[in-house]
Amino acid sequence: MDPIGVFDSGVGGLTVVSALRRRLPGESILYLGDTARLPYGSKSPDTVTRYTRKNLEFLSGRGVKAVVVACNTASALALPNLGPGEMPDVPIWGVIEPGARKAAEVSRGRVGVIATEASVRSDAYPRALRALRPELDIWSQACPLFVPLVEEGWHDDPITAQVAERYLRPLLDAGIDTLVLGCTHYPLIKDVLQRIAGPDVVLVDSAEQVAAMVAAGLAERHLEATHSPHHTFCVTDSGETFQRLARTILKDDGVELEWVEVV
Amino acid sequence: MDPIGVFDSGVGGLTVVSALRRRLPGESILYLGDTARLPYGSKSPDTVTRYTRKNLEFLSGRGVKAVVVACNTASALALPNLGPGEMPDVPIWGVIEPGARKAAEVSRGRVGVIATEASVRSDAYPRALRALRPELDIWSQACPLFVPLVEEGWHDDPITAQVAERYLRPLLDAGIDTLVLGCTHYPLIKDVLQRIAGPDVVLVDSAEQVAAMVAAGLAERHLEATHSPHHTFCVTDSGETFQRLARTILKDDGVELEWVEVV
C-alpha cells in the first residue's frame, strides 16, 4: 500500500509523525524534511509556496496516497495558494484547521496563538478560529527563537524559560485561557510553556488532531492500510542535528536518513 | 567601472560592506543576500558549496570585477572546493584568512574562535591560524543562537548576555587572550561579547582586515575605482528583517532591495 507523505521544513513535523504512528500503526509514512532550505518561518509567502510545490512534486513522484503538510508555516502560507489541480486524486491536509478546531472547542473565550513570524503575519490561525467561533478574543505572538532553542537541545533550560516568559507575557497579561502551539517544534518545549502559562491555560498541540483528521480522511476514501508499515525519512541536506532530534522525538534509535535533492 | 560583488547568506555580510565603503569610498558594490536559503551555518559542506556556486554564477552574470565571500561559513566550507576555473579572471576572496592573520598578529598565544556549527566543524580557522603560528593554542565554540538573537534585534539584552556567557565560559576558563568573531553577524553583539570576555581579551572582527585585503588586491590588479560609486542590494527572498537590519548596519536609510531568483 502506498505511504502517507508528510513534509516539514525540518525535524518539527516528526511530532506529527509520532502521533500518526500511534493512531495509525498500520500506515507507512514517507517523510520529507527540507533541511537544505529551513527554516520556513522567517521567509515570504512566495518563497514558502515555491518550496512547498517542490516538496509536493517530490512526494507525488514517490507515489504517496495522501499528503500531510506538517509545517504550520507552509500550511498557513502555501496551502491557500495551491489549486485543486496541484495533486489530482491525492488529498492534501494542513495542520492549521485541526489545531484551530481543538482550540475553538476547549477555549472559554480568550485564545493565544504562538507561531513563526511568517505564520503570525499570515493571520491563518485567527482566521480559522474566527470562522469557527466569531466571538473569540485572539492574541498572536511570533516566537522566532523557539526553533533555534529546540535545535540547540535546550528543551528544559533556564534560558528557554526566560525567552518563553518574554514571549508569553503579553498573552498571559491579556488573560488567555488557551494557547495554540502553532509550530510543530513547540511541543518539544511544552513543559516549559505549561509551567510559565500556569495550570489554568490549556495548551493545544495539533499533532493529535491532525492524526485524527488523517484517520477519518483515509477511512472516508477507503485508503487505510493495516499491516507491514514501512517508514522512510528523507532530508534535503545531510544533518546530524536531524538524526539526533529524530531519535529523541520518535523514541526510535533505528531512524535511517535518505538524502534527496529537491530543487 | 564594474562593481565588487559581495555575498552572504543574509544580512551579516553588510558588516563587511560597511568596512569596504569606509576603506574604498569610490567603489561600487553589488551585494547578494541569499535570504531564501539562509542560514548556511547549520548546513552541510555539499549544500553550502552548491549555494555558493549559484551565488557566484549570479554575480558573474552581473559583471563584477572581484568577489568577496563575506559569509564565514561559505568561506570555510565552499572556497576550498572551488577550482581556479570557477570565475576565470575574477579574484575571489574569503574572510577566514584575513581574520586569522589579524588574530595571529595580536595574540599572546591562546586564541578562541566562535563561529557557526558548520564553520567550527570545518576546522578552517584553526587550520589558518596554525599555518601562520603553529605554536598557538586554539579553542573553538559553535554559537548557533547568536544569529537568531541578532535577527530578533536583541543586540544588547540580558538574555543574549546569558547565552554568550554560556558559550564563552569554556574559552574564558581556558585563558584565551584573543577571540575571533568567526561569523559576520557577531560584530553586531560585540559590546555584549567584550563585556563578558573582559577588557584583556582582544576581539577580532575580520571586516576591517577584509577591506584592507580587498584594497591591496584591487590596487595590485589596477582595478580601483575612485568616483561615482553605486550600490545595489539583491536578496533572494523579500524580507522586512533584511531591510530593517540593513539600515541599522549601514547607517543608511536609503537602502533599496532588489529581489532576484538564484536557484
Side-chain angles (χ1 to χ4, degrees):
Chain A
M1 182 61 103
D2 292 336
I4 301 170
V6 178
F7 88 80
D8 181 41
S9 59
V11 80
L14 293 175
T15 58
V16 173
V17 170
S18 192
L20 284 171
R21 282 167 69 168
R22 278 193 304 275
R23 176 87 187 207
L24 298 162
E27 297 289 346
S28 296
I29 292 171
L30 170 63
Y31 187 85
L32 173 64
D34 190 13
T35 50
R37 299 186 289 199
L38 68 79
Y40 285 7
S42 58
K43 288 163 192 168
S44 71
D46 282 353
T47 294
V48 173
T49 301
R50 186 153 51 91
Y51 294 170
T52 298
R53 280 218 167 84
K54 293 293 176 185
N55 295 339
L56 291 176
E57 273 170 31
F58 169 80
L59 293 172
S60 177
R62 297 278 284 244
V64 298
K65 64 181 176 184
V67 172
V68 179
V69 180
C71 177
N72 281 265
T73 303
S75 295
L77 276 66
L79 282 190
N81 297 328
L82 301 182
E86 206 72 36
M87 285 178 80
D89 310 322
V90 174
I92 304 177
W93 293 301
V95 292
I96 306 291
E97 174 67 23
R101 192 166 293 279
K102 175 71 177 180
E105 252 171 60
V106 301
S107 176
R108 299 186 302 279
R110 304 169 85 79
V111 180
V113 176
I114 54 175
T116 65
E117 279 179 284
S119 293
V120 167
R121 261 202 305 268
S122 78
D123 206 42
Y125 270 110
R127 250 186 293 121
L129 286 162
R130 285 201 194 93
L132 295 160
R133 279 182 61 186
E135 85 288 5
L136 286 175
D137 286 315
I138 305 165
W139 289 264
S140 297
Q141 173 69 47
C143 304
L145 283 165
F146 281 168
V147 170
L149 283 164
V150 166
E151 305 232 322
E152 181 65 316
W154 296 3
H155 294 190
D156 197 354
D157 189 285
I159 288 176
T160 304
Q162 282 175 69
V163 173
E165 164 68 32
R166 193 178 298 181
Y167 285 144
L168 296 189
R169 184 45 47 206
L171 308 183
L172 298 173
D173 287 347
I176 59 161
D177 56 70
T178 302
L179 180 65
V180 178
L181 308 188
C183 169
T184 44
H185 277 80
Y186 299 173
L188 300 167
I189 51 167
K190 206 171 181 174
D191 292 349
V192 171
L193 297 173
Q194 187 75 70
R195 207 157 56 235
I196 287 165
D200 296 338
V201 175
V202 179
L203 267 50
V204 173
D205 158 8
S206 58
E208 298 301 329
Q209 273 65 44
V210 171
M213 174 186 67
V214 171
L218 293 178
E220 193 184 304
R221 291 166 178 81
H222 308 293
L223 287 171
E224 308 102 311
T226 50
H227 54 84
S228 315
H230 178 76
H231 305 307
T232 309
F233 298 93
C234 299
V235 287
T236 54
D237 192 19
S238 62
E240 289 164 36
T241 307
F242 187 96
Q243 187 122 4
R244 179 173 49 78
L245 286 171
R247 289 176 177 175
T248 307
I249 296 170
L250 297 174
K251 297 178 181 63
D252 180 350
D253 281 343
V255 174
E256 295 279 336
L257 300 185
E258 179 187 340
W259 179 83
V260 297
E261 192 160 11
V262 177
V263 182
Chain B
M1 182 60 102
D2 291 336
I4 302 169
V6 178
F7 88 80
D8 182 41
S9 58
V11 79
L14 294 175
T15 58
V16 173
V17 170
S18 192
L20 284 171
R21 282 168 69 168
R22 278 193 305 274
R23 177 86 187 208
L24 299 162
E27 297 290 345
S28 296
I29 293 170
L30 170 62
Y31 187 84
L32 174 63
D34 190 12
T35 50
R37 299 185 289 197
L38 68 80
Y40 285 8
S42 58
K43 290 164 191 168
S44 71
D46 282 353
T47 293
V48 172
T49 301
R50 187 154 50 93
Y51 293 170
T52 298
R53 280 218 165 85
K54 293 294 178 184
N55 294 339
L56 291 175
E57 273 172 28
F58 169 81
L59 293 171
S60 177
R62 297 278 284 244
V64 297
K65 65 182 176 184
V67 172
V68 180
V69 180
C71 176
N72 281 265
T73 303
S75 296
L77 276 66
L79 283 190
N81 296 330
L82 301 182
E86 206 72 35
M87 285 177 80
D89 311 322
V90 173
I92 303 177
W93 292 301
V95 292
I96 305 291
E97 173 68 22
R101 192 166 291 279
K102 175 71 177 182
E105 253 171 59
V106 301
S107 176
R108 299 185 303 277
R110 302 171 85 80
V111 180
V113 175
I114 54 175
T116 65
E117 279 178 285
S119 292
V120 167
R121 260 201 307 269
S122 78
D123 205 44
Y125 270 109
R127 250 186 293 122
L129 286 162
R130 285 200 194 93
L132 296 160
R133 278 182 61 186
E135 85 288 5
L136 286 176
D137 286 316
I138 304 166
W139 290 264
S140 298
Q141 174 68 47
C143 305
L145 283 166
F146 282 169
V147 170
L149 283 164
V150 167
E151 305 232 322
E152 180 64 319
W154 297 3
H155 294 191
D156 196 355
D157 189 285
I159 287 175
T160 304
Q162 282 173 70
V163 174
E165 165 69 32
R166 193 178 297 181
Y167 284 144
L168 296 189
R169 183 47 46 206
L171 309 182
L172 298 173
D173 288 348
I176 60 161
D177 57 67
T178 302
L179 180 65
V180 178
L181 309 188
C183 169
T184 45
H185 275 82
Y186 299 174
L188 299 168
I189 52 167
K190 205 170 181 174
D191 292 349
V192 171
L193 297 173
Q194 187 75 68
R195 207 158 55 234
I196 287 165
D200 295 337
V201 175
V202 179
L203 266 51
V204 174
D205 158 9
S206 59
E208 300 300 330
Q209 273 65 44
V210 171
M213 173 187 68
V214 171
L218 293 178
E220 195 184 301
R221 290 165 178 84
H222 308 293
L223 285 173
E224 309 103 308
T226 51
H227 55 82
S228 316
H230 178 77
H231 304 307
T232 308
F233 297 92
C234 298
V235 286
T236 54
D237 192 19
S238 62
E240 289 164 35
T241 307
F242 187 96
Q243 187 122 4
R244 180 173 50 79
L245 286 172
R247 290 176 175 175
T248 307
I249 296 170
L250 297 174
K251 297 179 182 64
D252 181 350
D253 282 342
V255 174
E256 296 278 339
L257 300 185
E258 180 188 338
W259 179 83
V260 296
E261 192 160 11
V262 177
V263 183

